[in-house]
Amino acid sequence: MNFVRRLFRSVTGPFRRRRVEADMAEEMRFHLAMRAEEQAASGVSAVDAPDAALRKFGNVARIQEEARAQRAGATWEQLGRDFTLAFRSLRKSAGFTLTGVLTLALGIGASTAVFSVVHALLVAPLPYRQADRLVEVISEHKEEGMSGLAPGTFGDLAAGDTSLSAVTAQYYYYLNLTGVEPSARLVSADVTIDFFKVFAEAPWRGRLLQPDDFKPSAAPVAVLSYGLWSGQFNSRDEIIGQQILLDDISYTVVGVMPASFKDPGETAQFWRPMRAGVDDLQNRSSRYWTAYGRLQDGATLEQANAKLATLGQRLAHDHPRNYEGWTLRASDLRALVIGNFRSGLLVMAGAIGCVILITCANLTGLATVRALSRRKELAIRTALGSSRLRLVRLLVAESLVLALLGGLGGVILAAWGMQALRASLLEAWLPRADEIALNLPVLFTAVTAAVVTGIVAGMVPGLTAGRVDAGDALKDSSRGSAGPKARRLRATLIVTEIALALVLLASTGLLGRSFLGLVHRKSGMEAERVLSLTISLSGPRYNSSPKSWSYYSRAETAVAALPGVEAAGFTQTSPFRWGIPAGFAPIRGDRPAAAEDFPQAFFDSVSIDYFRAIGCSLKAGRLFNSYDDADARHVVIISETAARRYFGNENPIGRLLTLGLPSTFEVVGVVGDVRRSGLTADAPLQVYRPLAQRPPAFATLMVRTSVPPLTLGRAVQAALNRVDPDTPVSDIATMDSVVSKSVTQPRLHFLVFGLFAGLALLLASIGLYGLVAYSVAQRTREFGIRTALGAAPRSILSLVLGEGLGLIALGVAFGLAGSLASARLLEGLIFTTSVHDPWVYVGAPLILSVIALLACLLPARRATRVDPIIALRSE
Amino acid sequence: MARKSDLLQGTLDMLVLRILDRGELHGWGITQKLERLSNRALIVDEGSLYPALYRMEEKGWIEAEWKMTENSRRAKFYALTRSGRRQLEEEKESWERMSAIIAQVMQSA
């Protein structure tokens, strides 16, 4: 009953307001009148009685305000009034509003755009069921920096005591899809029997792989990824149960996986039962498998790691020849998915924090100035019965309105910035790139950041400026001067902003110098004029070396004959994509040196024209020629670094290398170094042998062109199709793009930090400008007097600049300390320079100081132009 | 002048309810009666009284009506409702219990 009544009153409250107000006023009037009569009766004169009554009564407005607050629904009504008032006063000071909204929009926008990347890669759960229970089981040799699981190890893993409820292993395999238009080269993940048990996923269409599919007698089957199904097979449902031709063998498509389910390495396009490798379970030396496991219920990663370490020790004990130095451990699957992006992402997350802090500091500074210049208004509100809480609420409401407007602008900017960021990285490879989006968690974070920033920015000046003594503020001159407390607050904010901006700027300097250094590094190729594409030969047509070799030579001739092509040559593995390591040793006297004493070399089969095609020059000896065929003596060409490492200063030509006697390779030439694992890594040792002596099953064709390489893509593809229509061409790209892909991360870091540093500089400058401008406006009369008394403009200028300079110096000092302290975090992200690069630590403060000084100079110049007469009259 | 914090929280409500229990009265009358009944020991601050009156009206313990006073002025008279009377009984009981406990503690300690 009571509740219903309250509800009714709170709903009707707003409509009764006018009556209630009138009632209240009349009631107070009655009270005062009675009080006055009482005073008069006790001898106070009739004239003074009402005043005396009023004095006794106290602040009528405040009592009314408190009485009002007792009414049901009053809270909502007041909130509404706060916001109406906030909107009105924000509209009145458009300059402040615009600056505030822009500050927030830029800060929130930039950090949200970058956060969407960090979130997708680092925070968002992986698209697997109970993804936090999934691990990769890693077998690694820390000292040699090698990893990979041998099939034999997997056997022990599956049988052993591991805290894992299921384990599976896989490797990738290239197959040619033929019998359809167009034919294509596909990548399969050949998986062991428990693969879908580990990943616990249901199919989108059809069924998963079943135990029966793994029997040696079973008919070949394949489960397609959503991407392959919707792309190559046009999302046709009839494909389930149909046959497709892979490497000339017929496979039945039994299922399609959902779009969310992706190969953890984002490579495989379909899954098929591992067959060939299962026979290999005794193999403990070829480490070409990747293993995944699911933690048992209740088991922790630490427990799994402890048990795996024990298993690793047992293996090293039982098979020392294979496992000396090798250890086993489990790793969070995310580590595999995002690879070495992790440390960069963490640093970016830190930078986001810096930007949010700067934004918050700047907005707080702005709001403080505004609150100060409104002291008189606030004092009048206090005098008219507004409580302190009410004032703070009003200021917070204003900031909230500002924050929401700024947040909205920020989200719009973020959407645009994210597109730009994605576009600039599109060429390059980013894991989980298609999951980067302004999704709900990202938007929620952005709005929360905006609102928290708004509340802080409103609260701080609300608490300091809300403590207004009505009398003082009203007596004060019309401007109202900043109290020492508010001044100190603003100075602290500015120093913080400058310091944080310097940290970002210095980091940008380091990352930028490193990135530019990388870009100018020589790859060893003339990559900008080279088109590359990959083919793989499969089926009975290419089951022998002569047959493969015949394809390669015909293909090379056909492409080389095209107009616009200067040279075309095959290589088994492509630099900047992958390579095959091998442990060579030089033969000294009649005995080989120990292979362990030399770093692993990359071993490649290349055709005669390969070096000409990539623009790698001969340094000594000769290149391959048509006499280096299958029947000829085994010869190799080595890179300069290899020549130096194997033979020191001796002439390498004519010397012998071996992978193990009795077979040897005679060095016939030395060529320039070519980097292999990206621009961030040094060129490795390299040994080339003639393609004719060992034609591989797949190879990359390098085409050197006299026209922009991609314009020849179609013509080259057509020429290769004429040689053999059933051998598909894939991975068509300019070598230039392949090379620059290897600097994706440095580019991303530089881009993000550059964006952030620019923003931080802008915000800090705005803050500084605002501070100095405000203090100049405050001291107009003082400057007028100084000028009138003969002060030179120069001395006034230095007076004003002195204040700004002090803050800049302090900010730079803190910022330098911060940069040096945080430089350690950039350690792994800097390649061509040191994290203590002196140029950066001199240059960044210099740039920052100059810009900050300019921000002070603009308002300072205004101070020198103060006309004493106007200034003195102005108050 | 007694500040509102000087009166135990909630005590003012009880006192006002008690006074209204004897018959309807306006705000001014309530202050006068409170002062008289307490032999001027309690001086009620208008700044506390009116918010309290409005609060109790909101809760439905008292209801107001505009009437003429004996010297024919219009004043807002407050009267106890049924739920106000119940509230008064509850507060009286708990007050008596409370003061008995306090008295016992003060004497025995």
Side-chain angles (χ1 to χ4, degrees):
Chain A
M1 175 64 203
N2 218 333
F3 170 75
V4 175
R5 178 192 150 89
R6 275 184 70 80
L7 190 70
F8 176 75
R9 290 186 72 106
S10 85
V11 170
T12 56
F15 306 104
R16 289 184 292 115
R17 203 172 88 199
R18 188 167 302 197
R19 254 217 51 221
V20 171
E21 288 293 317
D23 275 7
M24 192 150 58
E26 191 177 347
E27 190 174 17
M28 302 283 164
R29 263 202 307 280
F30 167 74
H31 193 112
L32 285 170
M34 294 306 285
R35 175 75 79 197
E37 276 177 23
E38 185 198 56
Q39 298 280 333
S42 67
V44 179
S45 79
V47 184
D48 292 340
D51 282 347
L54 200 55
R55 266 201 301 282
K56 193 137 192 291
F57 193 92
N59 190 331
V60 180
R62 173 166 285 173
I63 292 172
Q64 285 183 341
E65 183 70 13
E66 273 179 37
R68 251 177 235 134
Q70 304 303 328
R71 290 180 33 238
T75 321
W76 290 110
E77 219 176 289
Q78 275 190 8
L79 212 63
R81 221 166 321 139
D82 283 344
F83 276 100
T84 320
L85 211 56
F87 263 116
R88 209 187 297 155
S89 82
L90 282 177
R91 221 180 34 217
K92 267 194 296 187
S93 44
F96 164 76
T97 309
L98 203 66
T99 320
V101 168
L102 265 180
T103 298
L104 257 174
L106 287 172
I108 297 286
S111 39
T112 303
V114 175
F115 181 66
S116 67
V117 176
V118 175
H119 179 268
L121 270 61
L122 211 55
V123 184
L126 297 177
Y128 306 112
R129 229 163 256 172
Q130 292 178 307
D132 54 327
R133 308 297 296 163
L134 289 173
V135 296
E136 184 193 1
V137 180
I138 298 171
S139 170
E140 62 188 349
H141 193 298
K142 286 229 175 70
E143 283 148 44
E144 292 186 18
M146 290 194 301
S147 67
L149 200 85
T153 317
F154 179 73
D156 290 315
L157 197 66
D161 170 28
T162 53
S163 296
L164 301 170
S165 62
V167 284
T168 183
Q170 68 165 55
Y171 55 83
Y172 296 126
Y173 199 89
Y174 292 98
L175 295 107
N176 289 336
L177 173 71
T178 51
V180 291
E181 254 330 299
S183 60
R185 193 193 64 159
L186 303 183
V187 186
S188 84
D190 291 9
V191 299
T192 61
I193 201 159
D194 278 343
F195 180 79
F196 287 106
K197 189 174 164 196
V198 167
F199 284 94
E201 192 67 43
W204 162 256
R205 295 273 194 277
R207 65 170 176 86
L208 302 173
L209 299 179
Q210 290 167 351
D212 283 348
D213 298 329
F214 289 81
K215 287 183 179 153
S217 56
V221 293
V223 170
L224 308 185
S225 68
Y226 189 89
L228 181 62
W229 176 66
S230 59
Q232 189 79 33
F233 297 107
N234 295 319
S235 306
R236 279 187 296 120
D237 279 332
E238 312 88 77
I239 194 73
I240 309 287
Q242 284 187 359
Q243 308 279 312
I244 56 173
L245 216 54
L246 295 165
D247 278 5
D248 297 329
I249 294 173
S250 171
Y251 284 70
T252 307
V253 175
V254 294
V256 178
M257 294 308 288
S260 60
F261 184 81
K262 273 182 291 188
D263 168 36
E266 287 191 45
T267 303
Q269 295 162 292
F270 69 97
W271 294 268
R272 60 170 189 169
M274 188 193 286
R275 287 267 187 68
V278 181
D279 307 330
D280 211 15
L281 280 179
Q282 293 314 308
N283 181 346
R284 296 187 178 278
S285 53
S286 313
R287 299 179 152 86
Y288 63 103
W289 286 17
T290 306
Y292 306 112
R294 183 172 283 275
L295 290 172
Q296 278 167 3
D297 287 338
T300 64
L301 190 63
E302 289 71 36
Q303 287 166 352
N305 263 321
K307 291 197 170 168
L308 286 173
T310 314
L311 179 62
Q313 284 159 9
R314 208 189 74 212
L315 288 174
H317 179 266
D318 294 351
H319 313 273
R321 215 168 51 83
N322 291 317
Y323 292 104
E324 185 78 63
W326 287 81
T327 52
L328 273 180
R329 70 180 170 93
S331 157
D332 181 2
L333 198 60
R334 190 186 295 275
L336 168 77
V337 173
I338 63 173
N340 49 2
F341 275 77
R342 187 186 175 82
S343 54
L345 288 170
L346 288 176
V347 169
M348 286 200 281
I352 291 176
C354 279
V355 169
I356 296 278
L357 266 181
I358 293 177
T359 310
C360 194
N362 209 15
L363 202 64
T364 309
L366 279 172
T368 311
V369 179
R370 188 171 146 75
L372 283 174
S373 56
R374 284 167 75 191
R375 279 179 86 214
K376 204 165 169 187
E377 178 203 329
L378 298 182
I380 291 174
R381 287 188 187 281
T382 312
L384 287 180
S386 191
S387 68
R388 180 142 163 248
L389 177 72
R390 191 71 207 284
L391 280 190
V392 174
R393 262 181 27 198
L394 178 64
L395 292 177
V396 171
E398 276 183 23
S399 317
L400 269 182
V401 171
L402 209 63
L404 289 176
L405 287 177
L408 190 71
V411 167
I412 294 169
L413 276 182
W416 176 79
M418 198 192 64
Q419 289 305 324
L421 208 60
R422 272 177 70 159
S424 72
L425 294 169
L426 205 62
E427 275 285 289
W429 184 81
L430 205 63
R432 304 184 80 184
D434 49 344
E435 288 164 51
I436 297 171
L438 288 183
N439 48 25
L440 273 182
V442 172
L443 285 180
F444 179 77
T445 316
V447 171
T448 309
V451 168
V452 169
T453 308
I455 290 179
V456 170
M459 205 80 135
V460 172
L463 288 179
T464 44
R467 210 173 292 136
V468 177
D469 183 85
D472 274 1
L474 290 174
K475 262 182 271 156
D476 214 352
S477 63
S478 60
R479 283 247 166 67
S481 62
K485 211 167 204 171
R487 264 199 102 62
R488 236 186 349 260
L489 173 70
R490 293 207 63 205
T492 312
L493 290 172
I494 294 292
V495 169
T496 312
E497 279 183 57
I498 292 177
L500 288 173
L502 182 55
V503 171
L504 288 176
L505 192 62
S507 307
T508 307
L510 289 173
L511 292 165
R513 268 177 68 82
S514 170
F515 175 67
L516 291 179
L518 282 178
V519 171
H520 287 111
R521 267 189 179 172
K522 299 256 182 293
S523 65
M525 300 180 283
E526 289 168 7
E528 58 283 354
R529 289 176 54 202
V530 178
L531 185 74
S532 76
L533 48 88
T534 304
I535 54 103
S536 64
L537 305 175
S538 63
R541 286 171 301 133
Y542 297 113
N543 60 3
S544 71
S545 291
K547 287 180 188 168
S548 304
W549 169 241
S550 122
Y551 172 86
Y552 288 128
S553 56
R554 277 184 296 139
E556 209 175 280
T557 315
V559 172
L562 291 172
V565 172
E566 290 183 356
F570 277 103
T571 175
Q572 181 175 10
T573 70
S574 159
F576 289 82
R577 285 205 180 98
W578 66 295
I580 301 168
F584 279 97
I587 293 184
R588 293 189 178 135
D590 52 357
R591 293 166 47 114
E596 296 81 49
D597 295 345
F598 300 93
Q600 295 247 317
F602 280 100
F603 191 26
D604 236 337
S605 302
V606 301
S607 67
I608 298 169
D609 270 350
Y610 171 68
F611 297 107
R612 218 152 67 75
I614 65 164
C616 175
S617 55
L618 183 70
K619 303 292 180 185
R622 66 168 175 90
L623 292 177
F624 296 135
N625 57 42
S626 54
Y627 297 107
D628 300 317
D629 60 15
D631 307 320
R633 191 172 40 134
H634 285 176
V635 293
V636 289
I637 292 174
I638 59 178
S639 66
E640 281 185 298
T641 302
R644 204 164 46 246
R645 293 303 292 259
Y646 290 137
F647 306 108
N649 292 326
E650 299 163 34
N651 179 13
I653 307 299
R655 299 287 296 269
L656 296 178
L657 287 174
T658 182
L659 280 168
L661 292 176
S663 84
T664 57
F665 303 89
E666 184 190 335
V667 177
V668 295
V670 176
V671 291
D673 281 330
V674 176
R675 285 179 209 273
R676 300 230 40 144
S677 332
L679 288 172
T680 51
D682 289 332
L685 278 60
Q686 179 78 55
V687 179
Y688 303 95
R689 69 190 298 190
L691 198 78
Q693 292 188 342
R694 190 167 171 270
F698 40 80
T700 297
L701 179 63
M702 300 285 190
V703 185
R704 184 184 178 82
T705 63
S706 53
V707 293
L710 277 179
T711 59
L712 284 183
R714 217 170 270 277
V716 171
Q717 212 170 347
L720 290 173
N721 259 332
R722 281 194 295 276
V723 175
D724 179 1
D726 282 337
T727 293
V729 173
S730 65
D731 300 337
I732 300 180
T734 64
M735 271 321 274
D736 209 23
S737 72
V738 174
V739 170
S740 68
K741 207 177 277 190
S742 79
V743 289
T744 299
Q745 287 190 54
R747 171 174 294 150
L748 176 69
H749 300 152
F750 178 44
L751 217 70
V752 165
F753 270 80
L755 175 75
F756 280 179
L759 188 64
L761 267 181
L762 182 69
L763 291 185
S765 306
I766 290 176
L768 199 60
Y769 172 87
L771 182 87
V772 177
Y774 177 72
S775 109
V776 166
Q778 285 261 298
R779 295 164 72 184
T780 305
R781 186 148 57 159
E782 177 200 329
F783 294 139
I785 294 172
R786 282 177 189 272
T787 311
L789 291 178
R794 177 188 282 279
S795 72
I796 287 181
L797 194 68
S798 64
L799 200 68
V800 177
L801 282 185
E803 185 188 5
L805 261 179
L807 295 179
I808 296 171
L810 208 58
V812 164
F814 280 119
L816 263 182
S819 317
L820 286 169
S822 60
R824 210 168 32 86
L825 301 174
L826 296 176
E827 202 84 64
L829 312 179
I830 303 290
F831 301 97
T832 61
T833 178
S834 131
V835 291
H836 299 298
D837 187 341
W839 285 106
V840 169
Y841 294 97
V842 173
L846 211 66
I847 293 172
L848 182 101
S849 306
V850 167
I851 292 178
L853 259 183
L854 280 179
C856 297
L857 204 60
L858 290 172
R861 279 168 62 91
R862 208 176 308 141
T864 64
R865 297 213 201 89
V866 171
D867 183 336
I869 304 203
I870 294 173
L872 291 173
R873 246 192 242 139
S874 76
E875 304 275 319
Chain B
M1 202 193 289
R3 295 298 312 169
K4 70 174 167 188
S5 55
D6 292 346
L7 272 176
L8 266 173
Q9 189 71 43
T11 319
L12 179 63
D13 288 9
M14 185 175 70
L15 295 178
V16 170
L17 288 174
R18 174 79 190 100
I19 286 169
L20 291 180
D21 194 25
R22 298 201 178 169
E24 55 180 12
L25 204 55
H26 43 72
W28 168 252
I30 294 173
T31 58
Q32 295 305 300
K33 204 157 188 177
L34 254 174
E35 284 178 23
R36 210 173 53 238
L37 287 178
S38 67
N39 286 331
R40 299 192 67 82
L42 280 178
I43 296 177
V44 177
D45 178 10
E46 288 86 347
S48 311
L49 178 70
Y50 282 100
L53 284 173
Y54 278 72
R55 184 170 59 241
M56 290 194 283
E57 190 185 358
E58 254 338 294
K59 287 184 175 165
W61 297 345
I62 57 177
E63 52 196 11
E65 204 182 338
W66 286 94
K67 287 187 178 173
M68 295 312 247
T69 64
E70 52 267 43
N71 36 11
S72 46
R73 280 178 189 271
R74 240 169 72 85
K76 200 175 172 191
F77 278 78
Y78 293 91
L80 221 53
T81 63
R82 226 176 26 202
S83 90
R85 199 152 285 136
R86 212 164 37 231
Q87 178 68 21
L88 176 60
E89 287 309 313
E90 278 174 28
E91 293 209 3
K92 216 160 84 185
E93 256 173 55
S94 78
W95 169 257
E96 277 160 8
R97 206 170 45 240
M98 197 65 202
S99 52
I101 294 171
I102 293 175
Q104 195 183 347
V105 171
M106 295 306 284
Q107 278 162 13
S108 60

